[in-house]
Amino acid sequence: MCGGSVLLKVVSIIMDPPISERVEKAFDLISEIIRTDASVTVYLIGDGVYCGMRGMNLETIDSEHIQVFASKEDLEARGIQEDLLTKRVKCQYNLVEKMVVDIMESADRILCF
């Protein structure tokens, strides 16, 4: 890390369920990116919200450089209660709007799975 600041801001959008090979590769890639001291914000949308549940892919990453948001509408549509999610996941209505603003204002790279 250079001077205590994050070098790169990456936004990752995950729309596939946790059992998807694409999602497994996505979390491997996110883990590698975090090791470079980059900051990663993950947006769980659609079936991607399942990745935020306890015991799923997200629990393999332990870093202060990751933020995770899940679409409240997509959680509700799938009957997932917030207490089933890892503590790292923040649920939010109108998540797509937040994601677009984040991408436009601060993202250096965007990964979509």
Side-chain angles (χ1 to χ4, degrees):
M1 205 146 97
C2 182
S5 64
V6 174
L7 301 176
L8 184 69
K9 167 77 166 140
V10 177
V11 170
S12 180
I13 305 164
I14 298 183
M15 299 178 287
D16 287 355
I19 58 170
S20 160
E21 186 176 317
R22 288 169 33 102
V23 169
E24 290 177 23
K25 289 179 182 179
F27 280 100
D28 289 343
L29 182 57
I30 289 168
S31 294
E32 289 298 318
I33 290 169
I34 288 174
R35 286 189 191 107
T36 67
D37 289 330
S39 169
V40 179
T41 303
V42 178
Y43 291 97
L44 304 175
I45 298 172
D47 286 342
V49 296
Y50 290 110
C51 296
M53 295 178 69
R54 289 190 303 260
M56 295 297 168
N57 316 64
L58 187 58
E59 287 191 332
T60 63
I61 299 174
D62 183 29
S63 173
E64 61 191 42
H65 295 297
I66 186 170
Q67 291 185 330
V68 183
F69 297 94
S71 167
K72 187 84 167 156
E73 293 91 346
D74 291 335
L75 289 167
E76 290 173 354
R78 287 155 181 81
I80 300 172
Q81 301 295 320
E82 287 185 43
D83 60 345
L84 297 175
L85 303 174
T86 65
K87 292 179 183 178
R88 172 173 281 147
V89 177
K90 298 174 186 132
C91 301
Q92 187 169 341
Y93 284 107
N94 301 316
L95 186 63
V96 173
E97 290 176 27
K98 176 184 177 18
M99 179 183 67
V100 170
V101 169
D102 190 20
I103 289 170
M104 298 299 288
E105 291 182 354
S106 65
D108 296 308
R109 302 283 187 275
I110 303 164
L111 308 171
C112 187
F113 299 94

PDB file of all heavy atoms in Angstrom, residues 11-16 22 26 30 41-45 99 103 110-113:
ATOM      1  N   VAL A  11     -15.365  -2.000  -8.662  1.00  0.00           N
ATOM      2  CA  VAL A  11     -16.769  -2.324  -8.399  1.00  0.00           C
ATOM      3  C   VAL A  11     -17.053  -3.661  -9.068  1.00  0.00           C
ATOM      4  O   VAL A  11     -16.750  -3.855 -10.248  1.00  0.00           O
ATOM      5  CB  VAL A  11     -17.710  -1.236  -8.953  1.00  0.00           C
ATOM      6  CG1 VAL A  11     -19.160  -1.701  -8.892  1.00  0.00           C
ATOM      7  CG2 VAL A  11     -17.538   0.064  -8.188  1.00  0.00           C
ATOM      8  N   SER A  12     -17.609  -4.582  -8.298  1.00  0.00           N
ATOM      9  CA  SER A  12     -17.970  -5.886  -8.829  1.00  0.00           C
ATOM     10  C   SER A  12     -19.476  -6.082  -8.680  1.00  0.00           C
ATOM     11  O   SER A  12     -20.031  -5.897  -7.601  1.00  0.00           O
ATOM     12  CB  SER A  12     -17.225  -6.991  -8.071  1.00  0.00           C
ATOM     13  OG  SER A  12     -17.577  -8.251  -8.586  1.00  0.00           O
ATOM     14  N   ILE A  13     -20.102  -6.447  -9.772  1.00  0.00           N
ATOM     15  CA  ILE A  13     -21.547  -6.694  -9.792  1.00  0.00           C
ATOM     16  C   ILE A  13     -21.749  -8.198  -9.953  1.00  0.00           C
ATOM     17  O   ILE A  13     -21.267  -8.788 -10.920  1.00  0.00           O
ATOM     18  CB  ILE A  13     -22.214  -5.944 -10.958  1.00  0.00           C
ATOM     19  CG1 ILE A  13     -21.877  -4.458 -10.887  1.00  0.00           C
ATOM     20  CG2 ILE A  13     -23.721  -6.185 -10.963  1.00  0.00           C
ATOM     21  CD1 ILE A  13     -22.147  -3.710 -12.174  1.00  0.00           C
ATOM     22  N   ILE A  14     -22.418  -8.802  -8.989  1.00  0.00           N
ATOM     23  CA  ILE A  14     -22.645 -10.247  -9.047  1.00  0.00           C
ATOM     24  C   ILE A  14     -24.146 -10.502  -9.145  1.00  0.00           C
ATOM     25  O   ILE A  14     -24.912 -10.101  -8.282  1.00  0.00           O
ATOM     26  CB  ILE A  14     -22.037 -10.956  -7.826  1.00  0.00           C
ATOM     27  CG1 ILE A  14     -20.519 -10.725  -7.851  1.00  0.00           C
ATOM     28  CG2 ILE A  14     -22.396 -12.443  -7.815  1.00  0.00           C
ATOM     29  CD1 ILE A  14     -19.755 -11.398  -6.768  1.00  0.00           C
ATOM     30  N   MET A  15     -24.522 -11.167 -10.241  1.00  0.00           N
ATOM     31  CA  MET A  15     -25.936 -11.436 -10.514  1.00  0.00           C
ATOM     32  C   MET A  15     -26.251 -12.930 -10.565  1.00  0.00           C
ATOM     33  O   MET A  15     -27.400 -13.314 -10.634  1.00  0.00           O
ATOM     34  CB  MET A  15     -26.335 -10.787 -11.840  1.00  0.00           C
ATOM     35  CG  MET A  15     -26.177  -9.281 -11.837  1.00  0.00           C
ATOM     36  SD  MET A  15     -26.601  -8.499 -13.409  1.00  0.00           S
ATOM     37  CE  MET A  15     -25.200  -8.973 -14.401  1.00  0.00           C
ATOM     38  N   ASP A  16     -25.214 -13.771 -10.541  1.00  0.00           N
ATOM     39  CA  ASP A  16     -25.404 -15.219 -10.626  1.00  0.00           C
ATOM     40  C   ASP A  16     -25.450 -15.839  -9.226  1.00  0.00           C
ATOM     41  O   ASP A  16     -24.906 -15.277  -8.279  1.00  0.00           O
ATOM     42  CB  ASP A  16     -24.249 -15.857 -11.412  1.00  0.00           C
ATOM     43  CG  ASP A  16     -24.318 -15.577 -12.908  1.00  0.00           C
ATOM     44  OD1 ASP A  16     -25.313 -14.958 -13.353  1.00  0.00           O
ATOM     45  OD2 ASP A  16     -23.394 -15.972 -13.630  1.00  0.00           O
ATOM     46  N   ARG A  22     -18.933 -19.089 -12.671  1.00  0.00           N
ATOM     47  CA  ARG A  22     -18.564 -17.681 -12.857  1.00  0.00           C
ATOM     48  C   ARG A  22     -18.409 -16.964 -11.519  1.00  0.00           C
ATOM     49  O   ARG A  22     -17.504 -16.169 -11.333  1.00  0.00           O
ATOM     50  CB  ARG A  22     -19.620 -16.961 -13.702  1.00  0.00           C
ATOM     51  CG  ARG A  22     -19.626 -17.331 -15.145  1.00  0.00           C
ATOM     52  CD  ARG A  22     -20.843 -16.805 -15.910  1.00  0.00           C
ATOM     53  NE  ARG A  22     -21.391 -15.540 -15.488  1.00  0.00           N
ATOM     54  CZ  ARG A  22     -21.187 -14.381 -16.122  1.00  0.00           C
ATOM     55  NH1 ARG A  22     -20.438 -14.346 -17.194  1.00  0.00           N
ATOM     56  NH2 ARG A  22     -21.751 -13.282 -15.686  1.00  0.00           N
ATOM     57  N   ALA A  26     -15.290 -15.243  -9.804  1.00  0.00           N
ATOM     58  CA  ALA A  26     -15.406 -13.840  -9.388  1.00  0.00           C
ATOM     59  C   ALA A  26     -14.824 -13.640  -7.998  1.00  0.00           C
ATOM     60  O   ALA A  26     -14.041 -12.704  -7.774  1.00  0.00           O
ATOM     61  CB  ALA A  26     -16.873 -13.398  -9.410  1.00  0.00           C
ATOM     62  N   ILE A  30     -11.720 -11.374  -6.892  1.00  0.00           N
ATOM     63  CA  ILE A  30     -11.872 -10.333  -5.867  1.00  0.00           C
ATOM     64  C   ILE A  30     -10.829 -10.521  -4.768  1.00  0.00           C
ATOM     65  O   ILE A  30     -10.205  -9.552  -4.315  1.00  0.00           O
ATOM     66  CB  ILE A  30     -13.304 -10.341  -5.292  1.00  0.00           C
ATOM     67  CG1 ILE A  30     -14.283  -9.818  -6.349  1.00  0.00           C
ATOM     68  CG2 ILE A  30     -13.392  -9.510  -4.013  1.00  0.00           C
ATOM     69  CD1 ILE A  30     -15.750 -10.046  -6.012  1.00  0.00           C
ATOM     70  N   THR A  41     -15.909  -2.848  -3.959  1.00  0.00           N
ATOM     71  CA  THR A  41     -17.311  -2.767  -3.561  1.00  0.00           C
ATOM     72  C   THR A  41     -18.074  -3.778  -4.395  1.00  0.00           C
ATOM     73  O   THR A  41     -17.993  -3.765  -5.626  1.00  0.00           O
ATOM     74  CB  THR A  41     -17.887  -1.354  -3.796  1.00  0.00           C
ATOM     75  OG1 THR A  41     -17.092  -0.404  -3.084  1.00  0.00           O
ATOM     76  CG2 THR A  41     -19.328  -1.270  -3.312  1.00  0.00           C
ATOM     77  N   VAL A  42     -18.784  -4.682  -3.719  1.00  0.00           N
ATOM     78  CA  VAL A  42     -19.531  -5.739  -4.385  1.00  0.00           C
ATOM     79  C   VAL A  42     -21.016  -5.418  -4.280  1.00  0.00           C
ATOM     80  O   VAL A  42     -21.518  -5.128  -3.191  1.00  0.00           O
ATOM     81  CB  VAL A  42     -19.238  -7.116  -3.744  1.00  0.00           C
ATOM     82  CG1 VAL A  42     -20.066  -8.207  -4.412  1.00  0.00           C
ATOM     83  CG2 VAL A  42     -17.751  -7.434  -3.810  1.00  0.00           C
ATOM     84  N   TYR A  43     -21.707  -5.478  -5.420  1.00  0.00           N
ATOM     85  CA  TYR A  43     -23.154  -5.291  -5.462  1.00  0.00           C
ATOM     86  C   TYR A  43     -23.787  -6.629  -5.817  1.00  0.00           C
ATOM     87  O   TYR A  43     -23.514  -7.191  -6.879  1.00  0.00           O
ATOM     88  CB  TYR A  43     -23.532  -4.226  -6.490  1.00  0.00           C
ATOM     89  CG  TYR A  43     -23.089  -2.846  -6.071  1.00  0.00           C
ATOM     90  CD1 TYR A  43     -21.896  -2.307  -6.541  1.00  0.00           C
ATOM     91  CD2 TYR A  43     -23.853  -2.093  -5.184  1.00  0.00           C
ATOM     92  CE1 TYR A  43     -21.479  -1.045  -6.138  1.00  0.00           C
ATOM     93  CE2 TYR A  43     -23.444  -0.840  -4.775  1.00  0.00           C
ATOM     94  CZ  TYR A  43     -22.256  -0.319  -5.264  1.00  0.00           C
ATOM     95  OH  TYR A  43     -21.845   0.925  -4.853  1.00  0.00           O
ATOM     96  N   LEU A  44     -24.603  -7.148  -4.898  1.00  0.00           N
ATOM     97  CA  LEU A  44     -25.306  -8.413  -5.105  1.00  0.00           C
ATOM     98  C   LEU A  44     -26.709  -8.106  -5.599  1.00  0.00           C
ATOM     99  O   LEU A  44     -27.512  -7.513  -4.879  1.00  0.00           O
ATOM    100  CB  LEU A  44     -25.355  -9.208  -3.793  1.00  0.00           C
ATOM    101  CG  LEU A  44     -23.999  -9.498  -3.138  1.00  0.00           C
ATOM    102  CD1 LEU A  44     -24.202 -10.176  -1.783  1.00  0.00           C
ATOM    103  CD2 LEU A  44     -23.130 -10.341  -4.054  1.00  0.00           C
ATOM    104  N   ILE A  45     -26.983  -8.520  -6.829  1.00  0.00           N
ATOM    105  CA  ILE A  45     -28.246  -8.199  -7.484  1.00  0.00           C
ATOM    106  C   ILE A  45     -28.829  -9.487  -8.065  1.00  0.00           C
ATOM    107  O   ILE A  45     -28.084 -10.379  -8.485  1.00  0.00           O
ATOM    108  CB  ILE A  45     -28.018  -7.155  -8.595  1.00  0.00           C
ATOM    109  CG1 ILE A  45     -27.478  -5.865  -7.975  1.00  0.00           C
ATOM    110  CG2 ILE A  45     -29.283  -6.874  -9.377  1.00  0.00           C
ATOM    111  CD1 ILE A  45     -27.043  -4.836  -8.979  1.00  0.00           C
ATOM    112  N   MET A  99     -25.387   1.974  -7.115  1.00  0.00           N
ATOM    113  CA  MET A  99     -24.330   1.334  -7.881  1.00  0.00           C
ATOM    114  C   MET A  99     -23.905   2.206  -9.064  1.00  0.00           C
ATOM    115  O   MET A  99     -22.712   2.405  -9.301  1.00  0.00           O
ATOM    116  CB  MET A  99     -24.801  -0.032  -8.382  1.00  0.00           C
ATOM    117  CG  MET A  99     -23.790  -0.773  -9.216  1.00  0.00           C
ATOM    118  SD  MET A  99     -24.451  -2.331  -9.828  1.00  0.00           S
ATOM    119  CE  MET A  99     -25.712  -1.764 -10.961  1.00  0.00           C
ATOM    120  N   ILE A 103     -20.226   3.779  -9.641  1.00  0.00           N
ATOM    121  CA  ILE A 103     -19.450   3.497 -10.851  1.00  0.00           C
ATOM    122  C   ILE A 103     -19.039   4.795 -11.544  1.00  0.00           C
ATOM    123  O   ILE A 103     -17.875   4.982 -11.908  1.00  0.00           O
ATOM    124  CB  ILE A 103     -20.248   2.594 -11.817  1.00  0.00           C
ATOM    125  CG1 ILE A 103     -20.350   1.180 -11.244  1.00  0.00           C
ATOM    126  CG2 ILE A 103     -19.614   2.581 -13.203  1.00  0.00           C
ATOM    127  CD1 ILE A 103     -21.313   0.281 -11.979  1.00  0.00           C
ATOM    128  N   ILE A 110     -14.560  -2.130 -13.415  1.00  0.00           N
ATOM    129  CA  ILE A 110     -15.867  -2.733 -13.159  1.00  0.00           C
ATOM    130  C   ILE A 110     -15.804  -4.192 -13.589  1.00  0.00           C
ATOM    131  O   ILE A 110     -15.381  -4.492 -14.714  1.00  0.00           O
ATOM    132  CB  ILE A 110     -16.985  -2.016 -13.936  1.00  0.00           C
ATOM    133  CG1 ILE A 110     -16.998  -0.533 -13.588  1.00  0.00           C
ATOM    134  CG2 ILE A 110     -18.344  -2.647 -13.654  1.00  0.00           C
ATOM    135  CD1 ILE A 110     -17.769   0.302 -14.562  1.00  0.00           C
ATOM    136  N   LEU A 111     -16.226  -5.083 -12.712  1.00  0.00           N
ATOM    137  CA  LEU A 111     -16.299  -6.504 -13.000  1.00  0.00           C
ATOM    138  C   LEU A 111     -17.744  -6.952 -12.867  1.00  0.00           C
ATOM    139  O   LEU A 111     -18.371  -6.668 -11.860  1.00  0.00           O
ATOM    140  CB  LEU A 111     -15.438  -7.309 -12.025  1.00  0.00           C
ATOM    141  CG  LEU A 111     -13.987  -6.862 -11.857  1.00  0.00           C
ATOM    142  CD1 LEU A 111     -13.338  -7.605 -10.699  1.00  0.00           C
ATOM    143  CD2 LEU A 111     -13.217  -7.095 -13.145  1.00  0.00           C
ATOM    144  N   CYS A 112     -18.257  -7.641 -13.858  1.00  0.00           N
ATOM    145  CA  CYS A 112     -19.655  -8.058 -13.804  1.00  0.00           C
ATOM    146  C   CYS A 112     -19.754  -9.567 -14.017  1.00  0.00           C
ATOM    147  O   CYS A 112     -19.223 -10.107 -14.978  1.00  0.00           O
ATOM    148  CB  CYS A 112     -20.436  -7.324 -14.891  1.00  0.00           C
ATOM    149  SG  CYS A 112     -22.197  -7.587 -14.795  1.00  0.00           S
ATOM    150  N   PHE A 113     -20.423 -10.224 -13.054  1.00  0.00           N
ATOM    151  CA  PHE A 113     -20.576 -11.678 -13.118  1.00  0.00           C
ATOM    152  C   PHE A 113     -22.013 -12.076 -12.933  1.00  0.00           C
ATOM    153  O   PHE A 113     -22.705 -11.629 -12.113  1.00  0.00           O
ATOM    154  CB  PHE A 113     -19.725 -12.342 -12.015  1.00  0.00           C
ATOM    155  CG  PHE A 113     -18.270 -12.063 -12.165  1.00  0.00           C
ATOM    156  CD1 PHE A 113     -17.673 -11.003 -11.488  1.00  0.00           C
ATOM    157  CD2 PHE A 113     -17.483 -12.828 -12.983  1.00  0.00           C
ATOM    158  CE1 PHE A 113     -16.326 -10.744 -11.618  1.00  0.00           C
ATOM    159  CE2 PHE A 113     -16.135 -12.574 -13.124  1.00  0.00           C
ATOM    160  CZ  PHE A 113     -15.545 -11.522 -12.435  1.00  0.00           C
TER     161      PHE A 113
END
